[in-house]
Amino acid sequence: MLRNRLNRGGGRTQRPFSSPATWQGSAKIRSSGWCTKAAASDAPAVPIKAVAEARTVVGKITEPTGRTDKGLIDTQPPRGTRDFFPEDMRLRNWLFGEFAAVSTAFGFEQFDAPVLESEELFVRKAGEEITDQLYNFEDKGQRRVALRPELTPSLARLVLQRGRTLPLPAKWFAIGQCWRYERMTRGRRREHYQWNMDIVGVAGVEAEAELLAAIVTFFERVGLSKDDVGVKVSSRKVLQSVLTQYGVPPESFARVCIIVDKLDKLPRDKVEEELRVLGVPPATIDGVLSALSIRSLEELSRLLGPDSEAVADLTRLFQLAEGYGYKDWLVFDPSVVRGLAYYTGIVFEGFDREGKLRAICGGGRYDRLLGAFGGDNAPMAGFGFGDAVIVELLKEKGKLPAPPHRVDDVVVPLDTALRPAASGIASRLRRAGRSVDLVLENKKMKWAFKHAEKLNASRLVLVGASEWERGKVVVKDLAKFHQEEVPVEDLI
Amino acid sequence: MLRNRLNRGGGRTQRPFSSPATWQGSAKIRSSGWCTKAAASDAPAVPIKAVAEARTVVGKITEPTGRTDKGLIDTQPPRGTRDFFPEDMRLRNWLFGEFAAVSTAFGFEQFDAPVLESEELFVRKAGEEITDQLYNFEDKGQRRVALRPELTPSLARLVLQRGRTLPLPAKWFAIGQCWRYERMTRGRRREHYQWNMDIVGVAGVEAEAELLAAIVTFFERVGLSKDDVGVKVSSRKVLQSVLTQYGVPPESFARVCIIVDKLDKLPRDKVEEELRVLGVPPATIDGVLSALSIRSLEELSRLLGPDSEAVADLTRLFQLAEGYGYKDWLVFDPSVVRGLAYYTGIVFEGFDREGKLRAICGGGRYDRLLGAFGGDNAPMAGFGFGDAVIVELLKEKGKLPAPPHRVDDVVVPLDTALRPAASGIASRLRRAGRSVDLVLENKKMKWAFKHAEKLNASRLVLVGASEWERGKVVVKDLAKFHQEEVPVEDLI
């Protein structure tokens, strides 16, 4: 789920979607604004020339929306969205594969829900950016619908739908596309993919500890160390206790969190002003901001007293982290509150140690979301992990793989009459589990060799008339530069 | 790509989306109309009671759209869409895995494009159902956009975007969600997933033969034989030749195809009337309909003459099919024209031999689509294969798998103090590549056993105080009903 707009390929800035670290796809070419530089400098996979040509035909550089008479259609995807050419798709499949592998290692089950949901699922009044930027519209049946901005509300809907028939605890994950809409700005992404893991039905911080273990496991799998990244951890109960000490009514809590979350992208006096507008007295504001500067559990304990739930939860969480072996990846930081209204306890966010990027992921406990939907509450915790910042980080660290396209065999009929024979050879090899590119046209041998090389093929299988008459084909082993005639039945 | 609305979880009826063979998900519960019976009779995985309860709370049985005051939100997905609970998702992952495995065996590369595209990409004037039912709307920036009804136009856009930098032939596949909107009807699906394979740059029927080979390979992989299913094959050039013989202008060709495609769902006189309204003379109508009743290439050759391209293409295609070894799966049937405007040559559609279901898949050659988008034409051929009819068919044949959820180990701390230790055990096992469900709460042993059984675990790892002190845990092998103390370092 999207715990916070900060995950959304954006985050610790005011422009969560405008990550320069898009896939290698073409969206960034379209970007204007602060994204343009990155687009121009690191886009080897994008056919800039082709794009420019298309633009010229359409005649609109910054805002190509339609087709001129007899001209080429706009070949770019809608603004803020991405195409996935095969090289982009291989990277996406690699990343999603890592998400899924970690989830499976933790025994989680995958679910999905429609990318288009009823708008009511996302309407909240706490001033979150995520709900302010809802990609919503009215369908032709006059129903208010929205392209989902996050996955958590859909998860909650599914949990409510199953009701008491759902065995608890439930450990579910999802990888889905999420959308947002901003009217006035440019060069910012309107969609991203997000990995979510959620645990339903576990009241203790053991749930959060397990979720954090999954995040750290993912980091390790993709080659990141605790010197590269960490996870800041706190609890909403810290802020809540301070607000309660100052007599701020509980109804204001979610709104205060949303405002306080802006601390690292707005100047402090702007945040203070927003809190004043909300009616928070100056002394309370000072108290809150000073509590958020605490950096040790001992100090927190002195502030909140010996019976503090926040201190107990965090202490326990760090004990568990030590048991798992990932304690050194965690940093206690009460300034982390996350920007979603529904969190109630532990909150956390992944960050890069160099502090260059926005939050890598974020999550926490949300024990009252089902109640907000009119159901019975159940303890729930989870995280959202977007596909943009992690790719940016891996690229920067030189850890981003470039999975190649490859096949086992390239089969080439040497003349037209031999195509049915070559088809039979291809069938035989595929049946044996090999991936086979069958050449479907008359091509020169030079082309076939280059083609096989481009496809990283291990063998080139040539079907020629004289060998075929003897029930044989010529097999070139492209690694060993070795060639021999092989009887068809020995091919595999 | 969606070659025809017939793929869309619907097809050879007027209600392409209203397949009773949805996933096991909950969409069908919501269905009204002709879908209801199937929903009531074969929905074991759906918590009917839970749904009914939710309905009662909302108080709207047939049209739950909103939330009553303090009542439960509507827990159903938007009308015509599906949730994928874990059991549905496992089936979906299995099916998509088969799609991907076949594509990979044929050396195809995967691509994707946004589910939301510019409306202009799908606007065609030939009277196709697919464009008449476009799920389109205006975004907040006053741009006309649409949830894609098919994948082919996006593929064409990507090909045009790459332009001359795209090496040909390109062999691409995609698995994506497609949408449609109908205003007035109920109980019909508005989304489905579709597998597409396309070849760009091959002018000969070798491309179609390779695509048909992939479809047959898929059928074989999922356990279907040529007695269960087949593929009807024809060429648009048959109809075109007949129309040319009768002097019908080429501009009318696409429209005539769309009308003729309705032959097996509308009464013949209704089709004749539509052709008359289009201005086709009665003698031509008779000629067309009689040509479509031909069932052998010899007869076709007599009708169209010795130089007929249609006859040459089809003859060559059947020769190649024999080479591949799937000739017996094919049936020549000129009444197959498919319902999409852009086909120009060979067309085909998968069917069940019992004739109970709509088309399983469909495709063909579309050499002039790029030109219609204002670009240079390139030879292209491909098919679309929806996720609805195939699931229905496999269910009927008893071939639909029910992939279970399973983990390798369930790790259970026997008291609260041992949770950090159990977490460390889980980490160790996961690092070794095992999938581990870690029990996060205090549970009774009886629960743990049932839980491990439900998760199809092979081992139960119990972390108890006395064993832990000796560096050991108790491992229960759940297949062998055998239990022993194992030193932690020997666990894997």
Side-chain angles (χ1 to χ4, degrees):
Chain A
M1 66 208 56
L2 181 58
R3 300 301 156 178
N4 188 312
R5 63 198 174 280
L6 304 192
N7 299 338
R8 309 217 55 182
R12 300 315 277 179
T13 79
Q14 268 189 281
R15 299 184 175 117
F17 255 61
S18 49
S19 163
T22 56
W23 298 91
Q24 297 145 308
S26 54
K28 55 180 153 189
I29 292 301
R30 167 165 256 175
S31 299
S32 55
W34 71 286
C35 200
T36 311
K37 188 157 157 277
S41 63
D42 65 346
V46 182
I48 294 181
K49 188 163 158 283
V51 173
E53 280 170 4
R55 287 284 164 72
T56 308
V57 175
V58 178
K60 295 176 184 174
I61 300 296
T62 53
E63 184 67 336
T65 51
R67 180 178 176 189
T68 57
D69 259 358
K70 291 183 187 176
L72 187 63
I73 54 157
D74 184 4
T75 63
Q76 294 297 306
R79 195 136 62 104
T81 69
R82 292 169 291 175
D83 290 325
F84 289 86
F85 283 89
E87 59 275 22
D88 310 313
M89 197 68 196
R90 285 196 293 275
L91 185 60
R92 178 175 126 181
N93 282 339
W94 168 79
L95 183 66
F96 289 8
E98 293 296 315
F99 290 157
V102 171
S103 307
T104 302
F106 281 69
F108 280 56
E109 299 184 83
Q110 194 170 5
F111 79 96
D112 197 11
V115 68
L116 190 77
E117 288 270 17
S118 288
E119 185 191 79
E120 62 160 348
L121 210 52
F122 307 111
V123 172
R124 298 187 294 261
K125 309 278 180 200
E128 299 152 283
E129 194 172 68
I130 195 170
T131 55
D132 291 346
Q133 298 179 344
L134 202 56
Y135 202 133
N136 54 359
F137 59 95
E138 193 171 88
D139 75 11
K140 294 172 186 174
Q142 277 75 56
R143 286 181 202 85
R144 297 296 309 174
V145 292
L147 291 168
R148 65 185 171 201
E150 53 165 339
L151 298 170
T152 313
S154 298
L155 168 70
R157 185 175 61 67
L158 265 65
V159 168
L160 288 170
Q161 191 186 125
R162 280 279 149 111
R164 264 163 254 137
T165 66
L166 180 70
L168 298 181
K171 300 173 181 177
W172 286 9
F173 80 100
I175 301 166
Q177 198 171 22
C178 298
W179 294 74
R180 72 166 193 178
Y181 194 93
E182 290 177 285
R183 189 190 279 267
M184 299 307 293
T185 55
R186 288 188 178 185
R188 297 165 62 175
R189 287 250 308 285
R190 287 189 174 149
E191 52 78 21
H192 76 152
Y193 282 89
Q194 199 176 86
W195 170 40
N196 278 207
M197 287 178 77
D198 291 272
I199 298 175
V200 186
V202 174
V205 294
E206 283 74 11
E208 290 93 320
E210 181 83 339
L211 295 167
L212 289 165
I215 290 171
V216 172
T217 300
F218 172 83
F219 285 146
E220 288 178 330
R221 280 183 69 102
V222 299
L224 294 171
S225 76
K226 62 177 188 290
D227 300 326
D228 298 318
V229 291
V231 186
K232 294 177 188 170
V233 178
S234 183
S235 172
R236 282 262 172 112
K237 291 175 186 169
V238 173
L239 198 54
Q240 199 166 22
S241 302
V242 174
L243 292 173
T244 305
Q245 283 180 358
Y246 283 96
V248 175
E251 310 86 78
S252 305
F253 178 59
R255 273 183 186 278
V256 171
C257 287
I258 305 303
I259 296 170
V260 165
D261 180 61
K262 297 175 186 169
L263 263 179
D264 56 359
K265 50 200 139 148
L266 291 185
R268 181 174 163 135
D269 56 352
K270 202 93 178 80
V271 170
E272 290 182 18
E273 195 191 311
E274 285 198 33
L275 289 171
R276 268 197 303 277
V277 169
L278 189 65
V280 184
T284 309
I285 294 176
D286 287 349
V288 164
L289 297 181
S290 114
L292 299 187
S293 67
I294 288 173
R295 287 295 177 273
S296 82
L297 283 179
E298 296 69 32
E299 204 184 330
L300 186 72
S301 178
R302 281 194 294 278
L303 177 73
L304 302 182
D307 300 331
S308 159
E309 274 183 44
V311 174
D313 284 356
L314 287 162
T315 304
R316 180 74 181 147
L317 184 64
F318 276 85
Q319 279 167 5
L320 289 164
E322 189 159 19
Y324 279 101
Y326 65 78
K327 195 184 168 190
D328 295 347
W329 297 68
L330 300 192
V331 178
F332 168 61
D333 183 346
S335 76
V336 170
V337 292
R338 305 298 296 161
L340 289 178
Y342 48 64
Y343 288 122
T344 55
I346 296 289
V347 281
F348 53 84
E349 69 184 37
F351 69 103
D352 70 303
R353 299 269 182 186
E354 290 187 72
K356 288 185 186 172
L357 306 171
R358 290 136 295 121
I360 302 168
C361 60
R365 175 166 292 279
Y366 53 103
D367 285 349
R368 290 193 290 272
L369 184 58
L370 297 188
F373 284 154
D376 293 334
N377 278 322
M380 295 174 86
F383 68 80
F385 196 121
D387 68 349
V389 179
I390 188 66
V391 167
E392 194 172 351
L393 179 65
L394 290 170
K395 201 182 283 176
E396 203 162 276
K397 300 280 177 192
K399 310 259 185 188
L400 196 67
H405 176 47
R406 68 173 306 281
V407 300
D408 295 317
D409 300 316
V410 171
V411 175
V412 187
L414 294 184
D415 65 56
T416 308
L418 288 166
R419 284 198 196 145
S423 304
I425 302 285
S427 279
R428 171 186 282 267
L429 292 167
R430 287 166 180 160
R431 252 177 241 275
R434 295 180 72 84
S435 64
V436 178
D437 181 77
L438 174 62
V439 174
L440 303 168
E441 303 160 282
N442 290 331
K443 293 285 188 183
K444 297 217 165 76
M445 272 312 295
K446 195 178 158 193
W447 182 91
F449 270 103
K450 280 180 93 166
H451 182 65
E453 198 180 318
K454 206 177 63 191
L455 267 49
N456 298 290
S458 35
R459 303 190 307 184
L460 192 57
V461 179
L462 305 174
V463 186
S466 60
E467 295 86 4
W468 182 247
E469 274 169 23
R470 287 179 276 116
K472 293 185 172 182
V473 291
V474 174
V475 174
K476 290 179 184 275
D477 185 313
L478 296 167
K480 298 183 192 151
F481 301 101
H482 170 263
Q483 159 173 347
E484 61 178 334
E485 279 190 21
V486 177
V488 169
E489 58 273 21
D490 297 346
L491 249 185
I492 39 150
Chain B
M1 67 208 55
L2 181 58
R3 298 303 156 178
N4 187 311
R5 63 196 173 282
L6 305 192
N7 298 340
R8 309 215 57 183
R12 300 313 279 182
T13 78
Q14 269 190 282
R15 299 184 173 117
F17 255 60
S18 50
S19 165
T22 57
W23 298 93
Q24 297 144 310
S26 53
K28 56 179 152 187
I29 292 302
R30 167 167 256 176
S31 299
S32 55
W34 71 285
C35 201
T36 311
K37 189 157 156 279
S41 64
D42 65 347
V46 181
I48 295 181
K49 188 163 157 284
V51 173
E53 280 170 4
R55 287 285 166 72
T56 308
V57 175
V58 178
K60 293 176 186 176
I61 299 298
T62 54
E63 183 68 333
T65 51
R67 180 179 176 189
T68 58
D69 260 358
K70 293 182 184 174
L72 187 62
I73 54 157
D74 183 3
T75 62
Q76 294 298 305
R79 197 136 61 103
T81 70
R82 291 168 294 176
D83 290 324
F84 290 86
F85 282 90
E87 59 274 22
D88 309 313
M89 197 68 196
R90 286 195 294 276
L91 186 60
R92 179 175 125 181
N93 282 339
W94 168 79
L95 183 66
F96 290 9
E98 294 296 316
F99 289 157
V102 171
S103 307
T104 303
F106 280 70
F108 280 56
E109 299 185 83
Q110 193 170 5
F111 80 97
D112 197 10
V115 69
L116 190 78
E117 288 271 17
S118 288
E119 184 191 79
E120 63 161 348
L121 210 52
F122 308 111
V123 173
R124 297 188 294 261
K125 310 277 180 201
E128 299 152 284
E129 194 173 68
I130 197 170
T131 55
D132 290 345
Q133 298 179 345
L134 202 56
Y135 202 133
N136 54 358
F137 58 96
E138 193 172 88
D139 75 11
K140 295 173 185 174
Q142 276 76 55
R143 286 180 201 84
R144 297 297 308 175
V145 291
L147 291 169
R148 64 184 172 202
E150 54 165 337
L151 297 169
T152 313
S154 299
L155 167 71
R157 185 175 60 69
L158 265 66
V159 168
L160 288 169
Q161 191 185 124
R162 280 277 150 111
R164 264 163 254 137
T165 67
L166 179 69
L168 296 183
K171 299 173 182 178
W172 285 8
F173 80 100
I175 301 166
Q177 198 171 21
C178 299
W179 293 76
R180 72 165 193 178
Y181 194 93
E182 289 178 285
R183 190 190 279 267
M184 299 307 292
T185 56
R186 289 188 178 183
R188 296 166 63 176
R189 288 251 307 283
R190 287 187 174 151
E191 52 79 21
H192 76 152
Y193 282 89
Q194 200 175 86
W195 169 40
N196 278 206
M197 286 179 77
D198 290 273
I199 297 175
V200 186
V202 175
V205 294
E206 283 75 10
E208 290 92 321
E210 180 84 338
L211 295 167
L212 288 166
I215 290 171
V216 172
T217 301
F218 172 83
F219 286 146
E220 288 177 330
R221 280 183 68 103
V222 300
L224 294 171
S225 76
K226 63 177 186 291
D227 299 325
D228 298 319
V229 292
V231 186
K232 293 177 187 169
V233 179
S234 183
S235 171
R236 282 262 171 113
K237 290 174 187 169
V238 174
L239 197 53
Q240 199 166 22
S241 302
V242 175
L243 292 173
T244 306
Q245 284 181 355
Y246 283 95
V248 175
E251 310 85 79
S252 306
F253 179 58
R255 273 182 188 277
V256 171
C257 287
I258 306 302
I259 295 169
V260 165
D261 180 61
K262 297 175 187 169
L263 264 179
D264 55 359
K265 50 199 139 135
L266 291 185
R268 182 174 162 137
D269 56 351
K270 201 96 179 79
V271 170
E272 291 182 17
E273 196 193 311
E274 285 197 32
L275 289 170
R276 266 195 305 276
V277 168
L278 190 65
V280 183
T284 309
I285 295 176
D286 286 348
V288 164
L289 296 182
S290 112
L292 299 187
S293 67
I294 287 174
R295 286 295 177 274
S296 81
L297 284 178
E298 295 69 31
E299 205 182 331
L300 187 71
S301 179
R302 281 194 295 276
L303 178 73
L304 302 182
D307 299 331
S308 159
E309 274 183 43
V311 174
D313 285 354
L314 287 162
T315 304
R316 180 74 182 147
L317 184 63
F318 276 86
Q319 280 168 3
L320 290 163
E322 189 159 19
Y324 279 101
Y326 66 78
K327 194 184 169 190
D328 294 347
W329 297 69
L330 301 190
V331 178
F332 167 61
D333 183 344
S335 77
V336 169
V337 293
R338 306 295 298 160
L340 289 177
Y342 47 66
Y343 288 122
T344 55
I346 296 288
V347 281
F348 52 83
E349 68 184 36
F351 69 103
D352 69 304
R353 299 268 182 187
E354 289 188 70
K356 287 185 185 173
L357 306 171
R358 290 138 293 123
I360 301 168
C361 60
R365 175 166 293 278
Y366 52 104
D367 285 349
R368 291 193 290 271
L369 184 58
L370 298 187
F373 285 153
D376 293 334
N377 278 322
M380 296 174 84
F383 67 80
F385 196 121
D387 68 349
V389 179
I390 188 65
V391 167
E392 195 171 352
L393 179 64
L394 290 171
K395 202 183 283 176
E396 203 162 276
K397 299 280 178 194
K399 309 259 185 188
L400 196 67
H405 176 47
R406 69 172 306 280
V407 299
D408 295 317
D409 300 315
V410 172
V411 174
V412 188
L414 294 184
D415 65 55
T416 309
L418 288 165
R419 285 197 195 146
S423 303
I425 301 285
S427 280
R428 171 186 280 267
L429 292 167
R430 286 165 181 160
R431 252 178 241 274
R434 295 181 72 84
S435 64
V436 178
D437 181 76
L438 174 61
V439 174
L440 302 169
E441 304 159 282
N442 290 331
K443 293 285 188 184
K444 296 218 167 74
M445 273 310 296
K446 195 178 156 191
W447 182 92
F449 270 103
K450 281 180 90 167
H451 181 66
E453 199 179 318
K454 206 177 61 192
L455 266 50
N456 298 291
S458 36
R459 303 191 307 184
L460 192 57
V461 179
L462 305 173
V463 186
S466 60
E467 296 86 3
W468 182 247
E469 275 168 22
R470 285 178 279 116
K472 293 186 171 179
V473 291
V474 173
V475 174
K476 289 176 185 277
D477 186 313
L478 296 168
K480 297 182 193 153
F481 302 101
H482 169 264
Q483 159 173 350
E484 62 178 332
E485 279 190 21
V486 176
V488 169
E489 59 273 22
D490 297 347
L491 250 186
I492 40 146

